[in-house]
């Protein structure tokens, strides 16, 4: 059986509550921006302004989706956990 991979886009779409396509895309863009920056920098070194700029939205829009950077981090982590759960399940299914 071929390997199954899940990426942040899929995971984010599955852990987001039912919202408009535009709202989901905006939250995903903010999530991706933070996720990418966390590869090389600490959360304390990342600004809301740069996340908003990367996502193509305003600072105010960031705060429509997340109360704090820490809340955005919680969302990134929830997406990652979902990815890992999918990978574990896929791995278990391959073993059947």
């Amino acid at each position: 059986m071929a390997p199954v991979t899940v990426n942040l886009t899929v995971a984010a779409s599955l852990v987001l509550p039912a919202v408009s396509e535009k709202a989901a895309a905006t939250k995903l863009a903010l999530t991706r921006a933070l996720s990418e920056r966390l590869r090389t920098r600490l959360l304390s070194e990342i600004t809301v302004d740069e996340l908003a700029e990367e996502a193509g939205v305003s600072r105010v829009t960031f705060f429509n989706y997340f109360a704090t950077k820490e809340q955005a981090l919680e969302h990134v982590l929830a997406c990652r956990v979902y990815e890992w759960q999918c990978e574990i399940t896929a791995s278990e299914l391959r073993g059947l």
Side-chain angles (χ1 to χ4, degrees):
M1 183 177 286
V4 175
T5 59
V6 177
N7 63 32
L8 184 60
T9 303
V10 173
S13 69
L14 295 171
V15 297
L16 288 172
V19 293
S20 73
E21 192 172 314
K22 182 179 179 186
T26 299
K27 193 165 188 176
L28 177 58
L30 290 165
T31 301
R32 282 183 175 159
L34 180 55
S35 182
E36 286 301 313
R37 280 166 178 70
L38 288 170
R39 292 175 188 270
T40 58
R41 295 166 53 200
L42 299 173
L43 183 63
S44 61
E45 299 170 336
I46 301 168
T47 67
V48 168
D49 289 330
E50 69 184 278
L51 296 175
E53 183 179 335
E54 175 70 21
V57 299
S58 71
R59 178 181 174 87
V60 170
T61 299
F62 174 91
F63 289 110
N64 287 336
Y65 290 88
F66 303 108
T68 62
K69 287 188 301 183
E70 291 76 14
Q71 187 180 52
L73 175 61
E74 289 175 9
H75 184 72
V76 168
L77 295 174
C79 291
R80 292 291 182 215
V81 167
Y82 184 81
E83 285 179 12
W84 296 330
Q85 288 173 330
C86 290
E87 289 172 8
I88 290 168
T89 300
S91 177
E92 289 172 349
L93 289 174
R94 283 191 296 273
L96 294 178

